[in-house]
Amino acid sequence: MARSYLAAALAVSTLATVVVFHLITNFGLPPSTFLSPKHDELGIENVPGQIPFNAEKNPIAFSEDGTKYLLGVGKADITGPVVEINLMGYADPDQIGTGLRQRLYSRAFIIGDLDHPSNRFVYLVLDTQSGDTAVRHGILEGLKDLGSEYECYGKNTLAVTGTHSHSGPGAWLNYLLPQITSKGFDKQSYQAIVDGAILSIQRAHEDLTPGYLSVDAAEIEDANINRSPYAYLANPQEERVRYKHGVDKVMTMLKFKRASDNKDMGILNWFPVHGTSMLGNNTLISGDNKGVAAQLFEKSMKTSSSAIPGFVAGFSQSNVGDTSPNILGAYCEDGSGTQCNFQDSTCSGRNEPCHGRGPHFQEKDQGAASCFEIGRRQYLGAKAMYNAMNDRSNTRAISIHGPISALHTYRDLSNFTFEDPKDSSSTLVTCPAALGYSFAAGTTDGPGAFDFTQNSTGKPSASPLWVVVRNFLREPSKLQKTCHSPKPILLDVGEIENPYLWTPNIVDIQLLRIGQLIIIVSPGEATTMAGRRWKESIYHAALSPSLTTLQSSLGQTNSKREPIIVLGGPANTYTHYITTREEYAVQRYEGASTLYGPNTLDAYINLTVSFLPYLFTSSPSYRRTLDPGPSPPIYTNTSLSFITPVIVDHAPLFKKFGQVSTDVLAAYRYGETAIVKFVGANPRNNLHLEGTFAAVEKYEHGGAWKKVRDDADWDLAFRWRRTSTIFGTSEVEPTFTTMSGLPSSAQSNGNPEVLPQDTEVTPGYPPPFQDRIDPAFQFSAPPDQSSIQQQLPVQQHGLSDPILANGQPTSQATPRRASQGPRLRKACDSCSKRKVKVKFTHVIWRNSFSKVALIRGSISQCDETGPPCKACKGLDIPCTFERPSRRRGPRNRHADAIKGHQFSSPGESGHSGPSSPTYAAQTLASLAQQQVLSAESICPGPILDLLIDDYFAYVHPIIPVPHEPSFRQAYQMREDHNNPTFLALLASMIGYLVASFPRRLRAHVQAYHREQYFPNPVNLIERCHKIVVEARGLGYLDRELSVHDAVVDYLQGLIAVYTHQWSQCKLYLGECISTINVLGLYKADVSSSDGFAMSDELASPPKDFILQEVGRRLFWTVYVSIKSLQQIGLSPREINIPPATPTEPYPSLPREIDDIFIESDQILPVPEGTVSELVGFNTNVKVFSSYASVCKMELAYGINEIYEFDQQERILKDALSSMKQVLDRLPVELLLAQKPTSAQREKQHYPPPTTDYPNLGIPPPIEPSQTRKEIQFDIQKANIYASQLCTRSYLVEKWANLYDTYSGAEAFKDTNGTSDAAETPESKRIRQQHLADERATVIRDLLKLLERMNLMDMEPSGASFVNKITQIISALLNLPMNRKSDFHRRLESYLPPLIEFLMRVIRLSSSQQEAEDDEGIRSRQWHSLKEPFVKFVREAGY
């Protein structure tokens, strides 16, 4: 729970308790104005007991259905007061409910023993912040009142968990601390949860039937990240390396199937992600992302033939402590847009501006769009897993076998002593509950206030005033401080009992078992690593010999099945957080909120492992020996409350309840929000449990109304506003996103639908459908009227059916042009597009308390994009079509003038012209004022940062310029504002990255939802080229040039190669070589007596080591590139670097030292054992320089010219031998791996280039991950081996061509009798066999490379790599028949399709449409590229 504003409670708690609540309400805390997340990677967690989601087969041979159990599922409404009650979660006293977005529910799952029906338990999933002591007590008391039939649901068998939503009504918890910001305890809020939970259990109980259970697990993509990576990294590295991610990414799901008809009753899953998608400024009640996921799943099952009516989907929390749904990371919302400080999540020392960003953080909707998206991702993962479990061919799901048992006990953790798990000779102890200073700092999901910060250990940096406040409440004793060390105590809550306990010291310990599945019911929020340790401890304990012996002694069958462990919570009571000792020592929010000291996790593990034997027996007498422990206090009847009740409700004078005060518009476009206002009353008068405050109904033929939405649906929101406190009047405002007419096949199950661009709406005159809102006195009103006018955009997925106006799907999409209606003379001033009159909806709104009013109308829209007018939206102005019509006049000079400047700046657009109002809006919006060129002219800052990271991760290993640290420093100092060469360099780097590796751009723009700016890679490549041209200016050659000017030319030349602009390529590379000559980069620093470059040790130190190394690297990079181009046909007369001579040698190879060790004035010492990326670069250079003698020979005598064949042949043989020896001296990091197994071949993962947690210049507490280095070595390996094979093939064919010339000349001489010594048949056979053997060796080595390299690591240099492979294969295809061996002929039939495939993959056309197609091919086919290679290998017999 993100207690962001409890610091306020401290300041006023010094007064009497009665005054406390009133002062907090009026204290005036800083408003949440910053509310508004980096992309975590995907993977499976390697946790013992966790089912591998990608397991190829069931690890245990079970019967198909497993043990038959007694199963029941039920669901009931628990929505409490939706207005005038503080929301529970963020602890902000100003976050008062104003309405409802989605109803809250209790979902009950009963599992019992079919042979012993009294042996059962019930697992509750509540759409609340957590379970609670008082709520659990109330449920148990209510079940007692239902009679003896419900006696089996008791203290041991009831688990009450919460989804951890931070958007539900509060004031229902047992202890004082969470009651402070809600002004005490509210009986109505509490009773709604208790009564609904009991009702859900009743429904599940009445639904009991024999059935089967099965379990599976799957990965959920992009639904959570770690919000406290600094604390996570404090865990031991040897422990962290066992897991791929900083959060658990696996959802474990239990499926309930009815035995009588094999229909599914429900699912229950566990997945950790905080319920903080809805932000701290949200005031509408909802179940947050897990509420969305459950609703979507249940709605999708209503029409499923495999599910029973009343199917229930429970989305339970797991080790949620340090997870966040704000997956884009934490950023400073203070105008800077920078990432928050890595260590303490502050911005310029303040925590308030630091906020996590969800996937749709740009929307000013209090997090609603991001919330729906995170919920949708959980739903999609669960639904895919469900479908797989129902697939009979699927062998991954595990059937549940074995007995049922449950245990529960209370334990006092204020002073619990137990054995140290690491040292049996010593003991550990827990402490009375206390909260640290970082608790008041909040988290990136909900920052705190004042001067508190996270990562506060030892003496806190906050004001000494807080010590005075703390000591007034209760000064912690020296023993308490020592016990909690290094936590500086802010609130000694476990020892404050006035007026009653602030937090629990007595906690629930509960375990549930169904066969091999064990559920840890956690009372607190365990962090990722804490949950992993806890589950692993239970896993190993469950396999211990002692439990096996116990089961045997009790006459039970010893189960050999591997246990499956899940963790559910926060449950039963709320004990805040549970961290590892290492995370506790860091004292971020989670550590400061770990109540019982640094040994809290070890205490929970000790207790649950100790009680595990009671879980592995079905003997009631044995289980009764478990000490129930001390009962916690229940304060439901004694809690304080200062919540004002509803005093009076009146309708305004001359009005009545339900009267429409603001009617709807005549008609709405698809995706727009319909708003209506009524005279209402306070919703607290009647909670309408199991009902609805409002409904949207569809008018059917024959006069019937069909309800299509109610307040359980996400797209129907209710807002309530008090218009007069004195007179007791209020207003309600239901808002509905008007997509109700869509057929169910095209709906995303209740989301705020926005019609996708590829879905057509056919105009015409269909039968009318009508919508109505049916109010029932109570609704809700928005705190900010302007905010409700904004559309709630959420990306659509799966909407492929074109929709007719009457809501029926068509069989095929109708082209937009063919479906346009009558053209109107009226047009939009901004996009200049004429309108189309569309009469496709007739809307009616009916008030329950007034007459039916039928309203008919038509819609006008921009004919290119549909509503809303995207050009106007891009300019952030109202569509001028709505303005009064005027007489037609001359052309719209305003729009024409703006559009005329479309290409005045290369930063605005990469398109040749606006083909639709979408592009027009981008152009008009960006050209509204002339902008100075800067880095942001390339692309938005966050995307640019990622692309720069990608360049240095993927490109720099092969093209090691520029110097990374100095470049990043210049970028941080914003050199792009005043240094045109730097801006040109930056643009060239991004252009080359996108040209060579376009999939990275696609991934980033999709993550930031900027696809409209970069529809294909060519757009950004052209934009970068224009920025280079404009940044340099016309006279750039007249000013003093630098090495970076040559780098710009080089990169532009390579970009031209990728885009097949050969003339431009030769111009830029020629200019690059000229600049190198002018700067003297081709010269050796010092010549030795023999004319060759001396070593760095003998040369005098340069003026600038960075410039020296960049110059060397650039020269050799250009050298390699030109040699590569010459191998594929570029003539040396077009572009060439003259060979080295004794008087003019080449410069030395670059130092094999990474950039971080090179400074301007010194070379830093390199740690022993460090392998630099320059080792691979230099090796590649040596491959191409190994045949320099061949180049000299051809330069002197011509290509294929015979002057002394034996000597020429010897030079070629020596070059081949030298080239092979280059790879003999490689370090182990650059050697090809052994032949991979079939499992390794399947591993085509593509890990990210950087660590999970960018530190923004602040070194992490633990050394960073080596993932980036490993990827760079893999990229270099692919490049080195491909270069060597390509060059060997090149030299072999050069040798063969020279021999053909020689043989032809000798044959001619022999015919004319002028030959001195004709070649003997034996020598001819030996030469031909030697050539054939060399070709076969090249092919076999190529097959080894393709077999052993990870293909995904070849992608960054994919075009270069594939060109080299293609060159080798083409050489084989062009062999004369008399040269082809049996080996070559076996491959010949397969080689042409392979070349065609490779060329199709790498093709990047300069045509916009072709580029879009090519990008799709690249993205889809890189993964399938392995298959042709494997086929190639098999055809070769390798």
Side-chain angles (χ1 to χ4, degrees):
M1 179 176 66
R3 297 195 169 278
S4 311
Y5 292 90
L6 274 182
L10 296 174
V12 296
S13 300
T14 57
L15 304 177
T17 305
V18 174
V19 181
V20 167
F21 300 110
H22 290 286
L23 287 181
I24 289 179
T25 305
N26 301 286
F27 195 79
L29 294 179
S32 300
T33 56
F34 302 102
L35 292 165
S36 149
K38 214 146 199 167
H39 225 55
D40 201 17
E41 76 287 358
L42 311 176
I44 176 172
E45 311 305 324
N46 185 22
V47 180
Q50 183 72 57
I51 306 170
F53 103 104
N54 57 355
E56 296 182 359
K57 60 182 181 179
N58 194 334
I60 306 168
F62 294 151
S63 64
E64 181 178 356
D65 292 321
T67 301
K68 189 179 288 186
Y69 297 100
L70 195 61
L71 306 179
V73 297
K75 173 184 172 182
D77 191 353
I78 60 170
T79 311
V82 299
V83 301
E84 297 185 325
I85 295 293
N86 179 249
L87 270 59
M88 177 59 193
Y90 289 108
D92 179 1
D94 294 331
Q95 191 185 16
I96 304 298
T98 62
L100 178 66
R101 181 175 292 280
Q102 181 190 47
R103 283 201 168 264
L104 310 181
Y105 292 96
S106 168
R107 294 173 171 89
F109 299 86
I110 298 177
I111 302 174
D113 190 326
L114 195 61
D115 298 326
H116 304 88
S118 61
N119 182 21
R120 68 183 75 165
F121 65 79
V122 56
Y123 188 96
L124 289 181
V125 181
L126 308 180
D127 287 335
T128 60
Q129 183 269 342
S130 65
D132 177 68
T133 303
V135 168
R136 188 172 188 272
H137 177 266
I139 295 171
L140 289 171
E141 293 298 310
L143 290 172
K144 290 180 183 178
D145 295 339
L146 295 179
S148 59
E149 186 179 354
Y150 289 85
E151 287 180 352
C152 53
Y153 308 114
K155 178 179 70 68
N156 291 334
T157 59
L158 173 66
V160 183
T161 74
T163 61
H164 205 46
S165 168
H166 284 44
S167 296
W172 46 266
L173 287 96
N174 188 57
Y175 294 96
L176 178 65
L177 184 63
Q179 295 177 5
I180 292 178
T181 51
S182 63
K183 297 194 294 186
F185 183 81
D186 183 72
K187 191 72 172 180
Q188 186 185 42
S189 182
Y190 164 81
Q191 204 63 49
I193 298 173
V194 170
D195 292 346
I198 294 172
L199 182 58
S200 68
I201 295 174
Q202 282 184 279
R203 289 172 174 169
H205 178 82
E206 294 166 359
D207 193 44
L208 283 171
T209 182
Y212 301 99
L213 296 171
S214 57
V215 67
D216 200 356
E219 206 172 49
I220 303 298
E221 300 180 356
D222 296 338
N224 62 354
I225 63 169
N226 195 309
R227 70 185 184 189
S228 287
Y230 186 80
Y232 177 84
L233 290 173
N235 292 302
Q237 185 179 13
E238 60 271 17
E239 182 179 32
R240 288 186 287 109
V241 296
R242 297 169 53 203
Y243 307 95
K244 291 185 179 179
H245 309 294
V247 288
D248 284 344
K249 293 280 188 181
V250 173
M251 173 185 284
T252 305
M253 189 163 77
L254 187 66
K255 183 166 74 76
F256 294 64
K257 183 173 71 173
R258 190 163 63 186
S260 60
D261 54 7
N262 286 329
K263 287 194 173 184
D264 296 319
M265 305 167 64
I267 58 102
L268 172 61
N269 62 55
W270 292 267
F271 179 76
V273 58
H274 247 84
T276 51
S277 290
M278 298 302 297
L279 304 177
N281 60 353
N282 166 61
T283 55
L284 298 183
I285 302 302
S286 77
D288 211 273
N289 54 67
K290 287 196 176 289
V292 169
Q295 181 207 33
L296 293 180
F297 203 113
E298 290 167 349
K299 209 165 188 179
S300 71
M301 300 306 293
K302 287 184 177 180
T303 57
S304 173
S305 60
S306 65
I308 66 169
F311 183 97
V312 178
F315 283 72
S316 186
Q317 279 293 358
S318 187
N319 44 332
V320 66
D322 52 0
T323 66
S324 173
N326 298 316
I327 57 174
L328 298 187
Y331 286 81
C332 296
E333 306 295 343
D334 55 4
S336 67
T338 59
Q339 286 189 302
C340 304
N341 183 286
F342 180 67
Q343 294 173 311
D344 57 13
S345 299
T346 59
C347 301
S348 301
R350 299 171 57 235
N351 61 60
E352 292 97 325
C354 179
H355 283 265
R357 291 179 173 180
H360 296 282
F361 74 95
Q362 307 96 328
E363 306 300 332
K364 305 302 180 183
D365 58 1
Q366 295 81 48
S370 292
C371 179
F372 186 88
E373 178 62 18
I374 296 299
R376 188 187 67 86
R377 293 179 185 184
Q378 293 177 72
Y379 154 70
L380 291 176
K383 190 63 183 297
M385 193 178 354
Y386 170 83
N387 292 336
M389 294 174 77
N390 282 344
D391 184 356
R392 291 190 175 274
S393 63
N394 174 38
T395 59
R396 191 179 65 185
I398 297 176
S399 300
I400 298 297
H401 292 248
I404 292 174
S405 55
L407 67 85
H408 176 278
T409 183
Y410 293 111
R411 285 297 181 268
D412 190 343
L413 289 192
S414 63
N415 187 19
F416 175 63
T417 303
F418 58 100
E419 181 182 291
D420 188 342
K422 297 181 179 179
D423 182 4
S424 58
S425 62
S426 61
T427 59
L428 300 176
V429 66
T430 57
C431 326
L435 294 164
Y437 272 69
S438 296
F439 163 76
T443 71
T444 56
D445 290 340
F450 304 114
D451 53 352
F452 295 101
T453 59
Q454 296 193 70
N455 191 22
S456 293
T457 57
K459 185 177 181 180
S461 59
S463 170
L465 175 63
W466 301 115
V467 177
V468 177
V469 174
R470 178 197 68 185
N471 292 345
F472 181 86
L473 295 170
R474 179 182 175 88
E475 182 178 2
S477 65
K478 184 177 181 180
L479 179 63
Q480 177 78 327
K481 292 179 181 179
T482 303
C483 186
H484 278 276
S485 178
K487 176 199 293 179
I489 297 176
L490 177 64
L491 284 175
D492 191 11
V493 288
E495 297 183 313
I496 304 177
E497 299 182 3
N498 185 22
Y500 44 91
L501 280 176
W502 284 43
T503 57
N505 281 321
I506 298 174
V507 303
D508 298 71
I509 304 297
Q510 188 171 33
L511 293 169
L512 308 174
R513 178 194 175 198
I514 322 119
Q516 67 269 43
L517 177 65
I518 299 175
I519 305 172
I520 304 170
V521 184
S522 172
E525 300 178 52
T527 60
T528 297
M529 194 61 78
R532 288 169 175 170
R533 291 185 189 177
W534 198 349
K535 289 187 287 186
E536 187 172 2
S537 298
I538 296 294
Y539 171 82
H540 289 302
L543 293 175
S544 66
S546 59
L547 284 184
T548 303
T549 303
L550 172 65
Q551 289 180 283
S552 300
S553 65
L554 295 171
Q556 294 180 220
T557 302
N558 180 19
S559 173
K560 297 296 185 183
R561 302 183 183 96
E562 185 175 357
I564 303 164
I565 316 298
V566 295
L567 186 150
N572 296 332
T573 190
Y574 184 62
T575 62
H576 294 250
Y577 283 75
I578 305 170
T579 60
T580 67
R581 292 191 201 181
E582 295 83 359
E583 292 166 345
Y584 185 91
V586 175
Q587 279 296 296
R588 281 180 60 92
Y589 174 82
E590 294 80 14
S593 303
T594 299
L595 289 180
Y596 310 111
N599 302 319
T600 299
L601 172 63
D602 291 325
Y604 281 117
I605 292 176
N606 176 275
L607 288 167
T608 49
V609 169
S610 300
F611 297 147
L612 199 59
Y614 296 95
L615 199 66
F616 276 73
T617 174
S618 57
S619 171
S621 59
Y622 182 82
R623 200 174 297 138
R624 280 195 294 269
T625 62
L626 176 63
D627 180 11
S631 297
I634 304 298
Y635 298 120
T636 52
N637 295 322
T638 58
S639 289
L640 299 172
S641 179
F642 300 92
I643 300 172
T644 306
V646 179
I647 305 300
V648 64
D649 264 320
H650 288 299
L653 194 61
F654 307 119
K655 293 185 178 181
K656 58 183 180 180
F657 289 119
Q659 184 173 339
V660 177
S661 55
T662 300
D663 211 338
V664 295
L665 302 179
Y668 293 91
R669 303 183 181 107
Y670 281 159
E672 290 187 330
T673 300
I675 304 173
V676 64
K677 295 180 181 179
F678 298 95
V679 175
N682 195 311
R684 292 165 63 195
N685 293 326
N686 184 346
L687 299 182
H688 285 275
L689 290 169
E690 299 295 316
T692 183
F693 286 122
V696 178
E697 299 182 353
K698 180 179 178 180
Y699 187 71
E700 303 277 339
H701 291 289
W705 292 90
K706 179 183 177 182
K707 185 170 73 172
V708 294
R709 295 287 190 274
D710 58 25
D711 59 12
D713 291 291
W714 191 260
D715 52 356
L716 181 58
F718 309 90
R719 291 171 171 83
W720 173 87
R721 181 172 63 91
R722 175 70 74 185
T723 56
S724 174
T725 304
I726 297 176
F727 296 104
T729 59
S730 57
E731 183 178 63
V732 296
E733 182 184 82
T735 59
F736 170 54
T737 305
T738 54
M739 293 296 286
S740 303
L742 291 177
S744 58
S745 62
Q747 292 185 24
S748 286
N749 300 295
N751 61 308
E753 294 110 336
V754 177
L755 196 65
Q757 294 185 8
D758 58 352
T759 305
E760 304 294 331
V761 179
T762 305
Y765 299 89
F769 70 87
Q770 292 92 357
D771 296 330
R772 70 174 184 178
I773 286 186
D774 189 0
F777 282 98
Q778 292 84 15
F779 301 91
S780 54
D784 182 0
Q785 286 292 97
S786 62
S787 65
I788 206 60
Q789 302 297 331
Q790 300 188 20
Q791 191 177 345
L792 189 63
V794 171
Q795 283 190 323
Q796 292 297 301
H797 297 264
L799 285 180
S800 56
D801 296 334
I803 309 302
L804 282 173
N806 61 358
Q808 300 299 320
T810 61
S811 59
Q812 188 175 1
T814 306
R816 188 179 297 278
R817 290 291 180 186
S819 66
Q820 287 183 339
R823 303 280 292 184
L824 301 183
R825 298 177 64 186
K826 191 174 180 180
C828 172
D829 291 345
S830 294
C831 67
S832 299
K833 294 294 179 180
R834 296 173 67 187
K835 306 301 174 184
V836 179
K837 191 172 185 179
V838 183
K839 294 184 178 179
F840 67 91
T841 179
H842 304 264
V843 182
I844 182 171
W845 294 88
R846 187 173 71 177
N847 187 332
S848 297
F849 307 99
S850 61
K851 297 180 180 179
V852 176
L854 181 65
I855 307 172
R856 299 177 182 268
S858 61
I859 295 174
S860 298
Q861 61 188 34
C862 295
D863 59 353
E864 288 289 321
T865 60
C869 177
K870 292 190 176 181
C872 299
K873 187 177 181 182
L875 292 169
D876 196 23
I877 61 173
C879 182
T880 56
F881 179 81
E882 306 297 337
R883 296 176 183 170
S885 300
R886 297 181 181 178
R887 182 175 59 85
R888 288 178 61 87
R891 289 176 58 85
N892 186 336
R893 296 179 180 177
H894 174 68
D896 289 345
I898 296 178
K899 291 177 184 178
H901 293 84
Q902 180 175 355
F903 295 107
S904 61
S905 172
E908 271 94 37
S909 175
H911 308 289
S912 58
S915 59
S916 73
T918 303
Y919 294 150
Q922 296 168 11
T923 304
L924 294 174
S926 60
L927 287 173
Q929 57 183 8
Q930 187 67 28
Q931 295 182 353
V932 178
L933 281 181
S934 66
E936 284 72 18
S937 303
I938 300 174
C939 61
I943 297 178
L944 182 61
D945 292 342
L946 294 173
L947 292 175
I948 292 173
D949 290 341
D950 289 341
Y951 179 90
F952 285 109
Y954 302 117
V955 175
H956 205 257
I958 299 175
I959 306 175
V961 289
H963 179 256
E964 182 175 2
S966 58
F967 176 87
R968 289 189 180 276
Q969 183 179 13
Y971 180 66
Q972 186 176 6
M973 299 298 292
R974 297 313 305 264
E975 283 289 317
D976 54 295
H977 286 169
N978 49 33
N979 187 338
T981 300
F982 179 83
L983 180 58
L985 174 63
L986 175 60
S988 299
M989 292 163 57
I990 301 304
Y992 176 75
L993 170 73
V994 174
S996 63
F997 197 5
R999 192 169 65 85
R1000 297 300 292 173
L1001 172 68
R1002 181 72 61 191
H1004 297 326
V1005 299
Q1006 287 177 349
Y1008 281 89
H1009 307 290
R1010 290 293 185 270
E1011 295 92 336
Q1012 70 272 24
Y1013 295 108
F1014 309 107
N1016 56 72
V1018 174
N1019 296 112
L1020 186 53
I1021 294 171
E1022 291 179 352
R1023 175 181 295 200
C1024 289
H1025 181 258
K1026 291 176 181 177
I1027 291 175
V1028 169
V1029 172
E1030 184 165 334
R1032 284 178 146 189
L1034 295 178
Y1036 75 96
L1037 290 177
D1038 297 330
R1039 57 178 170 78
E1040 184 178 355
L1041 298 177
S1042 70
V1043 64
H1044 293 117
D1045 288 295
V1047 175
V1048 171
D1049 288 328
Y1050 172 73
L1051 293 175
Q1052 289 298 315
L1054 289 192
I1055 292 170
V1057 173
Y1058 277 95
T1059 55
H1060 305 292
Q1061 301 177 61
W1062 296 107
S1063 297
Q1064 193 177 64
C1065 164
K1066 288 183 282 188
L1067 288 171
Y1068 273 114
L1069 290 182
E1071 185 173 296
C1072 175
I1073 294 174
S1074 297
T1075 305
I1076 288 175
N1077 290 333
V1078 170
L1079 297 175
L1081 301 180
Y1082 67 94
K1083 298 179 180 179
D1085 304 310
V1086 178
S1087 295
S1088 62
S1089 58
D1090 60 0
F1092 290 92
M1094 297 178 66
S1095 65
D1096 290 317
E1097 289 76 10
L1098 299 177
S1100 59
K1103 295 181 179 179
D1104 190 318
F1105 283 101
I1106 292 177
L1107 291 181
Q1108 181 193 62
E1109 291 305 307
V1110 171
R1112 291 176 177 179
R1113 295 177 185 182
L1114 177 61
F1115 173 84
W1116 287 110
T1117 302
V1118 174
Y1119 176 88
V1120 167
S1121 298
I1122 290 178
K1123 294 300 179 185
S1124 297
L1125 291 173
Q1126 288 174 353
Q1127 288 182 10
I1128 62 175
L1130 182 70
S1131 171
R1133 290 179 297 179
E1134 295 178 286
I1135 303 176
N1136 194 22
I1137 293 181
T1141 65
T1143 56
E1144 291 187 355
Y1146 288 156
S1148 303
L1149 290 175
R1151 289 179 171 88
E1152 294 183 347
I1153 299 175
D1154 286 330
D1155 286 355
I1156 57 174
F1157 302 109
I1158 303 174
E1159 296 182 355
S1160 298
D1161 56 350
Q1162 63 177 331
I1163 300 293
L1164 300 177
V1166 179
E1168 185 178 355
T1170 301
V1171 179
S1172 168
E1173 70 174 30
L1174 268 297
V1175 174
F1177 174 79
N1178 285 350
T1179 301
N1180 196 52
V1181 172
K1182 292 173 184 176
V1183 167
F1184 286 94
S1185 61
S1186 62
Y1187 69 97
S1189 57
V1190 176
C1191 297
K1192 291 180 181 180
M1193 177 184 72
E1194 292 183 335
L1195 186 65
Y1197 300 102
I1199 299 175
N1200 293 336
E1201 293 292 331
I1202 303 297
Y1203 69 94
E1204 183 62 50
F1205 177 72
D1206 291 337
Q1207 182 180 353
Q1208 290 174 288
E1209 187 178 46
R1210 186 169 57 254
I1211 292 174
L1212 285 165
K1213 286 182 177 180
D1214 290 344
L1216 278 170
S1217 175
S1218 176
M1219 188 176 305
K1220 294 176 183 178
Q1221 293 174 6
V1222 168
L1223 302 188
D1224 295 339
R1225 297 183 293 273
L1226 286 177
V1228 65
E1229 288 82 359
L1230 293 173
L1231 291 176
L1232 277 181
Q1234 295 300 315
K1235 186 173 181 179
T1237 63
S1238 58
Q1240 289 172 326
R1241 289 194 191 103
E1242 294 299 323
K1243 186 180 179 183
Q1244 297 295 330
H1245 68 280
Y1246 193 67
T1250 57
T1251 58
D1252 292 347
Y1253 315 111
N1255 56 42
L1256 303 177
I1258 300 171
I1262 306 297
E1263 57 186 316
S1265 169
Q1266 297 299 310
T1267 303
R1268 166 174 163 163
K1269 197 80 169 181
E1270 293 167 0
I1271 292 176
Q1272 290 175 332
F1273 284 142
D1274 285 341
I1275 294 170
Q1276 288 185 329
K1277 274 191 282 188
N1279 188 53
I1280 292 169
Y1281 283 89
S1283 297
Q1284 196 248 21
L1285 289 172
C1286 181
T1287 306
R1288 283 168 55 191
S1289 175
Y1290 172 73
L1291 292 179
V1292 169
E1293 297 312 313
K1294 191 172 286 291
W1295 180 9
N1297 293 333
L1298 190 67
Y1299 175 65
D1300 285 347
T1301 304
Y1302 169 73
S1303 298
E1306 288 301 310
F1308 178 78
K1309 290 180 181 181
D1310 187 54
T1311 302
N1312 291 280
T1314 58
S1315 176
D1316 295 331
E1319 184 183 22
T1320 65
E1322 180 62 20
S1323 63
K1324 183 176 182 178
R1325 186 192 65 79
I1326 292 174
R1327 277 196 174 97
Q1328 290 177 344
Q1329 184 62 44
H1330 196 169
L1331 286 169
D1333 291 344
E1334 286 289 345
R1335 291 192 184 100
T1337 303
V1338 169
I1339 290 299
R1340 288 191 176 92
D1341 289 346
L1342 173 62
L1343 298 182
K1344 291 179 183 179
L1345 174 64
L1346 299 180
E1347 181 76 354
R1348 297 181 184 183
M1349 282 301 298
N1350 187 339
L1351 293 177
M1352 296 306 292
D1353 291 327
M1354 302 174 188
E1355 184 177 2
S1357 56
S1360 173
F1361 178 82
V1362 171
N1363 274 326
K1364 292 170 183 176
I1365 296 177
T1366 305
Q1367 180 183 339
I1368 299 172
I1369 298 173
S1370 300
L1372 294 178
L1373 289 175
N1374 294 329
L1375 284 176
M1377 288 301 297
N1378 61 340
R1379 290 189 191 174
K1380 293 182 180 178
S1381 65
D1382 293 339
F1383 177 77
H1384 299 136
R1385 281 190 283 272
R1386 276 191 293 137
L1387 290 174
E1388 193 171 35
S1389 61
Y1390 181 69
L1391 294 179
L1394 180 59
I1395 287 185
E1396 181 183 355
F1397 177 86
L1398 295 176
M1399 296 307 295
R1400 188 169 69 251
V1401 169
I1402 66 170
R1403 182 170 58 89
L1404 182 61
S1405 171
S1406 57
S1407 165
Q1408 177 172 316
Q1409 183 58 46
E1410 290 180 356
E1412 292 175 355
D1413 297 339
D1414 290 341
E1415 172 63 12
I1417 292 174
R1418 292 178 70 109
S1419 179
R1420 293 189 301 271
Q1421 294 187 344
W1422 262 116
H1423 290 277
S1424 62
L1425 189 58
K1426 174 185 62 179
E1427 296 179 5
F1429 283 160
V1430 171
K1431 186 177 180 182
F1432 190 11
V1433 169
R1434 290 172 180 169
E1435 291 287 342
Y1438 171 67

